[in-house]
């Protein structure tokens, strides 16, 4: 009978041990912890991960994805590219290829959550991918070293040399692409389909009934800009009518009532018995007259609903959101991948890149400057004379008082001139689509300003002709009436 021995259970390790302490007054012995406690402890309780018995499993393949299906990549370096699905790897990732010779996409793994399966499919039933192309095939070799990331990137002051692609990887790529290209050639225009990038805006542009020779994207941008400016045209007409009411109703009545207001102020000063030397009385009369005229101007603006502050603010504020929104949308659509890089227009090599010749940015600056200066092109002789007298009064006041008079119209005009120069520099770094949008909007604004100014000058000429005709016919009419009375 075999002899059995029972192993004595090990005694638990003591948490506190007795330690001898030197010194006459220290007692000789002391109980201390067996293991020294850590000097650091977390301020809050550290959450412990829950234990799970579930093991990760690869995701099931979607029914719409089968070997040979053309997929659209939605993320990563090659987003927007069309690729061919080969097989699903053990990790659940999809093995795809461009082919590389067609669109530059090599053998790579992608997550099926970031692809769109199309209805286009290649016949790859007779082709089997080599078993060595698996998840381990794409794993990078682990490199151990104590050097920092900066030291690894730079060696002796020079960037680290790019590691060449192994010859085996290149050979595998050619073998796979050879079989895929053979299937691609069986379908007409399939190679062009795989080479093109995916984009939603392309379908919208092609949906327009345009001739094949007309650039679809450029025409769409121009048409959208013109439609947006036509939609904002009522706001511009509203502002122009308010300006006409101020020019033809409020200001003439204000100029007509100026002498009467000055006389009323003088009569009020006499009735109040205000005394003083001549200089004091003139200064007091001027201040009271300016105050009365300011109140009168406000009343006339309110009566005819033509406040210049509201007129100047509403029109730009109504157009600014549409302008900013159009710029942001076109700038986002110009980011890679985009169908804008497949179309050229005028001096633009593509709609996704800035104008290399700076022709359109300079045209934009000239259009903006012309829009600012066009108001003086349709002035009549009387209006030019009035502007000259206003400038002389401003110069005289500046000479007498030494302080420039605040003129909002002149300040706004100078700011717009500076803006026309700044827009050239900003437009020079914008994508071609944004440049085309800005130039079209500026051209529409210039034509709109010219039309409004031409209408105003034509109406003023008619009014002036009517008044001159009435004055010339007035004495003859009165003379004929007096002759009839005598007879």
């Amino acid at each position: 009978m075999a002899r059995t021995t029972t192993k004595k259970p090990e005694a638990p390790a003591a948490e506190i041990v007795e330690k001898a302490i030197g010194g006459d007054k220290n007692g000789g012995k002391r109980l201390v912890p067996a293991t020294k406690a850590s000097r650091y402890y977390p301020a809050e309780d550290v959450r412990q991960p829950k234990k799970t018995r579930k093991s990760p499993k690869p995701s099931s393949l979607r029914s719409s994805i089968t070997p040979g299906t053309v997929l659209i990549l939605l993320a990563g370096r090659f987003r927007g590219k069309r690729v061919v699905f080969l097989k699903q790897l053990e990790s659940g990732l999809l093995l795809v290829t461009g082919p590389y010779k067609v669109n530059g996409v090599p053998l790579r793994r992608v997550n099926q959550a970031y692809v769109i399966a199309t209805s286009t499919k290649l016949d790859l039933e007779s082709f089997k991918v080599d078993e060595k192309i698996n998840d381990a095939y794409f794993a990078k070799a682990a490199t151990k070293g104590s050097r920092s990331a900066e030291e690894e990137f730079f060696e002796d002051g020079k960037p680290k040399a790019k590691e060449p692609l192994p010859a085996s990887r290149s050979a595998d790529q050619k073998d796979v692409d050879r079989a895929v290209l053979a299937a691609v050639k069986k379908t007409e225009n399939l190679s062009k389909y795989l080479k093109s990038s995916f984009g939603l805006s392309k379908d919208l542009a092609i949906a327009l009934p345009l001739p094949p020779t007309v650039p679809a994207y450029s025409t769409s941008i121009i048409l959208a800009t013109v439609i947006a400016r036509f939609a904002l045209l009522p706001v511009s007409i509203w502002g122009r009518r308010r300006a006409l009411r101020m020019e033809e109703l409020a200001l003439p009545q204000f100029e007509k009532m100026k002498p009467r207001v000055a006389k009323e102020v003088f009569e009020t000063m006499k009735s109040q018995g205000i005394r003083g030397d001549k200089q004091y009385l003139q200064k007091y009369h001027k201040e009271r007259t300016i105050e009365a005229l300011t109140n009168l101007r406000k009343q006339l603006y309110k009566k005819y609903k033509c406040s210049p502050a509201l007129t100047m603010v509403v029109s730009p504020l109504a157009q600014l959101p549409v302008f900013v929104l159009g710029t942001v949308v076109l700038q986002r659509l110009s980011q890679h991948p985009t169908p804008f890089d497949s179309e050229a227009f005028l001096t633009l090599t593509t709609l996704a890149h800035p104008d290399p010749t700076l022709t359109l940015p300079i045209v934009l600056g000239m259009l903006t400057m012309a829009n600012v200066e066009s108001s003086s092109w349709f002035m009549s002789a009387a209006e030019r004379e009035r502007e000259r007298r206003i400038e002389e009064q401003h110069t005289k006041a500046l000479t007498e008082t030494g302080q420039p008079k605040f003129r909002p119209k002149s300040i706004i005009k100078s700011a717009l001139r500076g803006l026309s120069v700044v827009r050239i520099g900003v437009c020079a770094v914008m994508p071609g689509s944004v440049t085309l949008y800005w130039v079209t909007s500026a051209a529409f604004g210039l034509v709109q300003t010219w039309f409004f100014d031409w209408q105003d000058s034509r109406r003023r000429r008619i009014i002036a002709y009517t008044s001159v005709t009435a004055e010339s016919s007035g004495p003859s009419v009165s003379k004929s009436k007096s002759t009839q009375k005598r007879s």
Side-chain angles (χ1 to χ4, degrees):
M1 185 174 179
R3 186 177 178 181
T4 59
T5 58
T6 58
K7 191 176 181 180
K8 294 182 180 180
E10 296 181 358
E15 296 182 358
I16 299 176
V17 296
E18 187 176 341
K19 187 177 181 181
I21 303 297
D24 297 338
K25 298 181 180 181
N26 291 330
K29 296 179 181 179
R30 186 174 297 172
L31 296 176
V32 297
T35 57
K36 190 175 181 180
S38 175
R39 298 183 64 181
Y40 166 79
Y41 62 91
E44 297 180 357
D45 295 337
V46 179
R47 181 176 295 178
Q48 299 294 331
K50 294 182 178 179
K51 295 182 180 180
T52 177
R53 291 176 293 178
K54 296 180 180 179
S55 58
K57 297 179 181 179
S59 57
S60 58
L61 188 64
R62 298 207 304 256
S63 59
S64 57
I65 302 177
T66 56
T69 303
V70 177
L71 308 178
I72 299 173
L73 302 181
L74 302 179
R77 176 185 172 189
F78 299 101
R79 64 182 184 273
K81 294 287 187 178
R82 292 178 169 88
V83 295
V84 179
F85 169 68
L86 300 176
K87 70 174 183 177
Q88 187 181 26
L89 303 176
E90 294 181 359
S91 61
L93 299 177
L94 310 182
L95 178 64
V96 298
T97 184
Y100 182 79
K101 190 175 181 180
V102 175
N103 54 21
V105 181
L107 281 168
R108 62 188 292 109
R109 298 175 298 173
V110 295
N111 193 324
Q112 63 174 326
Y114 300 103
V115 299
I116 297 177
T118 67
S119 58
T120 306
K121 185 178 178 180
L122 279 67
D123 185 11
L124 297 179
E125 293 182 358
S126 60
F127 173 70
K128 299 297 180 182
V129 182
D130 196 339
E131 293 296 333
K132 68 177 181 180
I133 303 179
N134 49 23
D135 291 304
Y137 181 82
F138 296 95
K140 293 183 179 180
T143 57
K144 295 183 179 180
S146 59
R147 296 189 302 173
S148 62
E150 185 176 358
E151 291 176 346
E152 290 180 359
F153 186 79
F154 292 100
E155 292 181 357
D156 298 331
K158 298 180 180 180
K160 185 179 179 181
K162 186 178 180 181
E163 296 181 0
L165 185 69
S168 59
R169 294 284 294 271
S170 179
D172 295 338
Q173 180 72 56
K174 292 179 180 179
D175 292 340
V176 173
D177 284 0
R178 189 179 298 109
V180 176
L181 286 173
V184 169
K185 292 178 181 178
K186 295 179 181 179
T187 305
E188 186 180 0
N189 295 327
L190 184 56
S191 178
K192 295 181 179 180
Y193 175 71
L194 292 173
K195 190 175 182 180
S196 63
S197 298
F198 172 74
L200 295 176
S201 58
K202 184 175 182 180
D203 300 333
L204 297 176
I206 292 179
L208 295 175
L210 299 174
T213 56
V214 177
Y217 305 118
S218 303
T219 307
S220 301
I221 293 172
I222 294 173
L223 290 177
T225 306
V226 172
I227 292 172
R229 291 303 301 265
F230 266 115
L232 294 172
L233 197 58
V235 180
S236 302
I237 296 174
W238 173 83
R240 180 67 65 165
R241 288 178 177 175
R242 288 175 64 92
L244 289 177
R245 288 200 299 269
M246 180 183 69
E247 182 180 349
E248 297 179 357
L249 297 177
L251 291 182
Q253 190 172 347
F254 176 75
E255 294 292 334
K256 187 177 180 180
M257 295 180 67
K258 265 186 178 180
R260 191 174 72 180
V261 171
K263 187 176 181 181
E264 290 177 355
V265 171
F266 180 74
E267 295 295 334
T268 304
M269 290 173 60
K270 285 178 61 176
S271 62
Q272 291 178 355
I274 298 175
R275 298 288 184 269
D277 56 2
K278 183 178 179 180
Q279 186 176 0
Y280 170 76
L281 292 176
Q282 288 179 347
K283 181 179 179 182
Y284 184 81
H285 179 266
K286 183 179 180 181
E287 291 176 354
R288 294 290 299 272
T289 303
I290 292 175
E291 183 180 355
L293 289 175
T294 302
N295 294 330
L296 176 63
R297 186 188 296 110
K298 291 180 180 179
Q299 292 175 4
L300 291 174
Y301 286 163
K302 186 176 181 180
K303 176 182 177 181
Y304 294 108
K305 298 180 180 180
C306 59
S307 174
L310 186 63
T311 304
M312 292 168 58
V313 169
V314 169
S315 183
L317 287 182
Q319 297 180 12
L320 186 61
V322 178
F323 180 79
V324 173
L325 180 63
T327 302
V328 172
V329 169
L330 289 174
Q331 199 168 8
R332 292 288 181 87
L333 290 176
S334 300
Q335 294 178 358
H336 182 78
T338 173
F340 285 174
D341 58 5
S342 62
E343 180 178 296
F345 185 76
L346 297 179
T347 58
L348 298 171
T349 54
T350 68
L351 296 179
H353 299 87
D355 187 355
T357 63
L358 296 181
T359 302
L360 290 181
I362 294 174
V363 170
L364 174 65
M366 295 175 63
L367 289 173
T368 308
M369 185 69 74
N371 203 352
V372 176
E373 303 295 339
S374 62
S375 58
S376 59
W377 298 349
F378 295 90
M379 281 186 177
S380 61
E383 291 175 339
R384 295 182 185 276
E385 181 65 22
R386 186 179 64 182
E387 289 290 332
R388 188 186 63 81
R389 281 190 275 106
I390 292 174
E391 189 66 28
E392 289 180 354
Q393 292 176 2
H394 173 69
T395 306
K396 184 178 179 182
L398 181 62
T399 305
E400 293 176 354
T401 61
Q403 295 180 354
K405 188 177 180 181
F406 178 71
R407 296 190 300 172
K409 184 177 180 180
S410 178
I411 294 174
I412 293 174
K413 203 167 186 178
S414 300
L416 292 176
R417 287 170 181 163
L419 179 63
S420 63
V421 178
V422 173
R423 292 187 77 180
I424 297 177
V426 177
C427 187
V429 297
M430 285 292 177
S433 58
V434 178
T435 301
L436 183 60
Y437 169 60
W438 286 5
V439 171
T440 306
S441 181
F444 186 94
L446 181 60
V447 173
Q448 174 183 300
T449 304
W450 281 352
F451 180 74
F452 286 156
D453 291 342
W454 173 78
Q455 274 194 330
D456 294 344
S457 63
R458 183 170 176 270
R459 184 177 58 258
R460 285 192 291 266
R461 286 197 300 269
I462 293 174
I463 293 174
Y465 177 78
T466 306
S467 60
V468 170
T469 305
E471 289 177 1
S472 61
S473 61
S476 60
V477 173
S478 59
K479 187 175 181 180
S480 61
K481 287 183 179 180
S482 61
T483 306
Q484 290 177 2
K485 287 182 181 179
R486 288 176 184 177
S487 60

